[in-house]
Structures are given as C-alpha cells and as structure tokens.
Amino acid sequence: MFVKICGITNEDDALLAVAMGADAVGFIFAPSERQIAPQKAYDITRRLPPEVLTVGVFRNELPARVVEIAHKAGVKAVQLHGRETPAQSKEIAGHFRWTIKAFAAGDENLPSADQYGTDMILLDAPDPGSGKVFDWNLAGDAPSQLKLILAGGLNPENVGAAIAEVEPWGVDVASGVESRPGKKDPIAVMRFVANAKAAAPEQYLGDDEGPYNWDFE
C-alpha cells in the first residue's frame, strides 16, 4: 500500500514521515496555508533517502512553470491538482517519470482520466484540504487500469475502512495527521501509516522486504 504524507512544510516532518514508513512526501507549491517555497523544499528533498518519492503539488499552473519549480525544488514527481487539460497534463508528464493527476470526487472528467497521460491519479474531496470525507463509491468512476490514490478526509481512524471499501493502490493525507495546519502530529502520522499498511488488500502485498527505490525502475 502506497502511503503519501502531503503538505510537508519543514524538514522535521519530512524525516518523521520517512521514519514512520511513508512511501512519499508532498510539497504544496500552489496557494495554500501549507504552501512552501521551492528553495526550502529543495533543502528538504536533498536530505531524504532515494526510496522516498518526493512530490510537488501544483494547481492551474502553466506547464513551463511546473517544470521550472519542480526542478528547482528537486522533487521526483508532480501532482496536478487543478483543472489542467489532457494536453497540459501530457506536456508536463513528458518531463517527469512520475506524474499524478488529481480529480475531485464527482468530477465529470474522472471516467476519462486515462486521457491525461499519467498512470497515477488521485481522488480528493470536492474541497481539497478541507479534511471532509466524500462518498467513496464515487471512486468507481475511475478507469480501472490506473493506479488510484485515495485522499480527502482520511485520518488514522478511517483509513482502514476506506482501503477496505475502495481498495485503492495508495492513500494520501495532509490535514488528517496534523496538530495544526502545516505541522504534523507524530503519533497521528505513525498510526496512519501503520493502519494503512495493515489494511492493504492481499493483491498489493508483495515479497519485497525492502523499500521501493524510486530512483531506479
């Protein structure tokens, strides 16, 4: 089960997420109370082990700016969290090995998510960052061949139930493991990762004993 801790604003929280077993950490470059400057993100990403996927989150940004900021921040992947068109998404995806296209629950474009040139999509609440849960049945509209990352209102208490119902490839959390906006709660992060990994469907349980190395695929 792929677990991403998003909204990282400082090195301590990034190292905490890694220590607790997170597979990815996300840095928000779009306007947000969790927004981080690219240079500050770079100071963090360069200290993280290679098996951790670092993700830059953007919303309605020009493709050229996405590429520029992501490279400046040293992230390995980008997440497009706005109304990017399939053409814009494909243009950006051409510059990165891993790209995630996010969709809001109920988005009319979700059934055609396979037209955006990415193999990972994220399904979020209609109001991202609100911490509100949406109807998980809406995940059924996503194309089955894509890797689905479930987000939106997840926390240590409900992530197991969410995984059992949706059977996503991964889960993503920001506000659900915070003590305040932009600051992670160590106990909540530990419990979220542990509960998510414990709830992983059998088909996602592999023979690997070590972490996945995102530098080599």
Side-chain angles (χ1 to χ4, degrees):
M1 176 59 56
F2 174 87
V3 178
K4 174 170 165 274
I5 306 296
C6 202
I8 296 294
T9 62
N10 58 84
E11 183 176 337
D12 286 346
D13 283 351
L15 294 175
L16 166 70
V18 171
M20 293 299 103
D23 302 285
V25 292
F27 303 91
I28 299 176
F29 300 120
S32 164
E33 57 189 348
R34 302 176 184 87
Q35 186 176 17
I36 186 172
Q39 182 58 52
K40 185 174 181 181
Y42 174 76
D43 291 339
I44 299 172
T45 59
R46 67 191 183 92
R47 296 178 182 276
L48 299 181
E51 63 266 22
V52 175
L53 183 65
T54 49
V55 183
V57 181
F58 299 86
R59 182 167 60 248
N60 300 325
E61 189 64 80
L62 293 174
R65 283 287 292 161
V66 171
V67 175
E68 177 187 355
I69 293 171
H71 286 164
K72 184 175 182 180
V75 294
K76 301 172 186 174
V78 296
Q79 178 177 314
L80 306 176
H81 223 292
R83 301 296 296 180
E84 297 85 6
T85 66
Q88 290 173 323
S89 180
K90 288 178 180 177
E91 180 181 348
I92 293 168
H95 293 270
F96 301 93
R97 185 175 296 182
W98 300 284
T99 305
I100 304 167
K101 179 67 185 82
F103 295 87
D107 189 329
E108 62 182 10
N109 295 310
L110 180 58
S112 58
D114 55 353
Q115 303 299 310
Y116 285 74
T118 73
D119 65 351
M120 290 186 283
I121 60 172
L122 182 143
L123 185 60
D124 204 349
D127 184 15
S130 65
K132 296 180 180 179
V133 176
F134 62 89
D135 182 0
W136 292 328
N137 289 322
L138 294 173
D141 293 335
S144 60
Q145 71 271 28
L146 300 179
K147 295 176 179 176
L148 175 66
I149 302 170
L150 185 66
L154 298 182
N155 57 51
E157 284 68 42
N158 66 16
V159 66
I163 292 172
E165 182 169 333
V166 179
E167 294 193 355
W169 178 77
V171 289
D172 179 286
V173 66
S175 62
V177 292
E178 289 181 332
S179 56
R180 64 177 187 275
K183 180 59 181 175
K184 305 307 181 193
D185 179 283
I187 300 299
V189 172
M190 177 184 69
R191 292 182 58 233
F192 184 90
V193 176
N195 291 347
K197 299 288 186 180
E202 287 298 322
Q203 61 263 38
Y204 296 131
L205 299 179
D207 296 327
D208 305 317
E209 293 184 0
Y212 187 78
N213 192 327
W214 291 92
D215 276 349
F216 303 97
E217 183 183 58

